[in-house]
Amino acid sequence: MMHVGLNHFLFLAAALFSIGVIGVLTRRNALVIFMCIELMINAANLAFIAFSYYLADITGQGFVFMSMVVAASEVAVGLAIILALFRNKESVNVDDIRIMKW
Amino acid sequence: MEAIAFYILAVMALFAALMVVLHKSPAISAVYLVLCFFAVAGNYVLLHAHFIAAIQILVYAGAIMVLFVMVIMLLNLDEEVRQRRKLGLLATLSVLSGLGVGVLILLMTWKPAAQAVPKTLDPQTFGATETVGRYLFTTYLLPFEAASVLLLAAIVGAIALSRRSEHKPGEGGDR
């Protein structure tokens, strides 16, 4: 059986990140865009953990811990913003929210 | 054995991620995102990061996704209507994804990375809670405490943002 190396995990992380980017660029629902951002954060975390294992250094896991704290607070505030937006605009379609567009 | 587990988890994660992007209903997307998080947590276990895998399931698949599902329920959304994209955006996207695939193939066939093997590590203690905890509470104590302040700020921010806007400032008491 093939040996699983660092590049396999990096490949998976890059693929997950690309899928997240495509989701952010193509979807118009603010909630789904948010989920795709979570997907991208997860891909970055996976790369951190993979490097942490292959370099035998625990620092990467500490970084992922901090990244999860940031992601959790980001989701809490972001979803509150989306809720406030929906209350004012009756829509979560990002094309309808263009008041800041020049 | 490890390779089989990795490929199963990788295919699961990629399929779930694709379904998050492609599915029309946000609620179904959220469920697929949970599946994706579980698959990534499985990969963490393969990489001897047991503590992080547990945190991934608790925080991501648990707390964050519950928040998402609650908001989807509150908003009561119907399915997104697809409108035709402009060709320019589509072309840009195709070129970008083509470039991405090229970089990935380069990465896959890159010899030094292909031969990277883990350095000597103790599989019993490497990703264990004790190791990570000792690390967080000694070397990185200051960022750890800063994280708690960040979480407090996020709580206050979320409550302040989700208050009813017609609420008068002097009244108080309802939250």
Side-chain angles (χ1 to χ4, degrees), chain A residues 4-86:
Chain A
V4 177
L6 172 61
N7 56 346
H8 291 79
F9 286 100
L10 291 184
F11 175 80
L12 177 61
L16 283 178
F17 193 90
S18 312
I19 292 173
V21 170
I22 289 171
V24 168
L25 291 178
T26 55
R27 295 300 298 263
R28 295 278 69 106
N29 186 326
L31 274 169
V32 179
I33 289 177
F34 225 65
M35 287 184 211
C36 292
I37 292 174
E38 292 303 310
L39 209 60
M40 294 197 290
I41 293 176
N42 247 273
N45 285 352
L46 182 63
F48 261 126
I49 297 282
F51 276 118
S52 152
Y53 177 64
Y54 283 97
L55 299 175
D57 188 348
I58 201 87
T59 314
Q61 302 193 5
F63 266 93
V64 170
F65 184 84
M66 297 302 164
S67 143
M68 279 177 179
V69 171
V70 173
S73 36
E74 175 227 336
V75 165
V77 176
L79 286 178
I81 290 175
I82 291 178
L83 265 181
L85 216 56
F86 185 75

Side-chain angles (χ1 to χ4, degrees), chain A residues 62 65-66 69, chain B residues 136 138-150:
Chain A
F65 184 84
M66 297 302 164
V69 171
Chain B
L136 281 176
T138 53
T139 321
Y140 281 81
L141 182 62
L142 183 65
F144 184 78
E145 298 295 340
S148 64
V149 179
L150 177 70

Side-chain angles (χ1 to χ4, degrees), chain A residues 1-12 14-16 18-20 22-23 25-29 31-32 34-36 38-39 41-42 45-46 49-50 52-77 79-84 86-88 92-93 95, chain B residues 2-4 6-7 10 13-14 17-18 20-24 26 29-30 33 36-37 40 43-44 47-49 51-52 55-56 59-60 64 67-68 71-72 74-75 77 80 82-83 85 93 104 107-108 113-114 116-121 126-127 131-132 135-136 140 143-144 147 150-151 154 158 161-165:
Chain A
M1 200 66 205
M2 225 170 106
H3 176 70
V4 177
L6 172 61
N7 56 346
H8 291 79
F9 286 100
L10 291 184
F11 175 80
L12 177 61
L16 283 178
S18 312
I19 292 173
I22 289 171
L25 291 178
T26 55
R27 295 300 298 263
R28 295 278 69 106
N29 186 326
L31 274 169
V32 179
F34 225 65
M35 287 184 211
C36 292
E38 292 303 310
L39 209 60
I41 293 176
N42 247 273
N45 285 352
L46 182 63
I49 297 282
S52 152
Y53 177 64
Y54 283 97
L55 299 175
D57 188 348
I58 201 87
T59 314
Q61 302 193 5
F63 266 93
V64 170
F65 184 84
M66 297 302 164
S67 143
M68 279 177 179
V69 171
V70 173
S73 36
E74 175 227 336
V75 165
V77 176
L79 286 178
I81 290 175
I82 291 178
L83 265 181
F86 185 75
R87 224 178 263 144
N88 289 325
V92 287
N93 189 327
D95 284 340
Chain B
E2 202 189 27
I4 299 169
F6 169 76
Y7 283 114
L14 288 178
L18 275 176
V20 170
V21 174
L22 295 179
H23 208 282
K24 277 205 282 281
S29 284
L33 196 56
C36 184
F37 286 160
V40 173
N43 272 321
Y44 290 168
L47 290 165
H48 287 261
F51 172 70
I52 296 293
I55 293 293
Q56 162 95 0
V59 174
Y60 270 107
I64 289 181
L67 216 58
F68 264 109
V71 169
I72 291 169
L74 280 176
L75 297 190
L77 294 173
E80 186 176 338
R82 295 276 166 140
Q83 61 258 67
R85 300 262 154 263
L93 274 179
L104 292 181
L107 209 76
M108 278 283 265
V117 283
K119 290 182 183 169
T120 48
L121 54 87
F126 179 61
T131 320
V132 181
Y135 174 78
L136 281 176
Y140 281 81
F144 184 78
L150 177 70
L151 281 175
L161 277 169
S162 55
R163 276 163 81 117
R164 297 249 161 227
S165 47

Side-chain angles (χ1 to χ4, degrees), chain B residues 82-127:
Chain B
R82 295 276 166 140
Q83 61 258 67
R84 288 196 65 80
R85 300 262 154 263
K86 277 164 276 171
L87 193 68
L89 179 63
L90 207 67
T92 319
L93 274 179
S94 327
V95 170
L96 275 179
S97 12
L99 275 177
V101 169
V103 169
L104 292 181
I105 290 171
L106 205 72
L107 209 76
M108 278 283 265
T109 50
W110 186 37
K111 273 292 172 224
Q115 285 162 356
V117 283
K119 290 182 183 169
T120 48
L121 54 87
D122 186 2
Q124 286 295 309
T125 60
F126 179 61

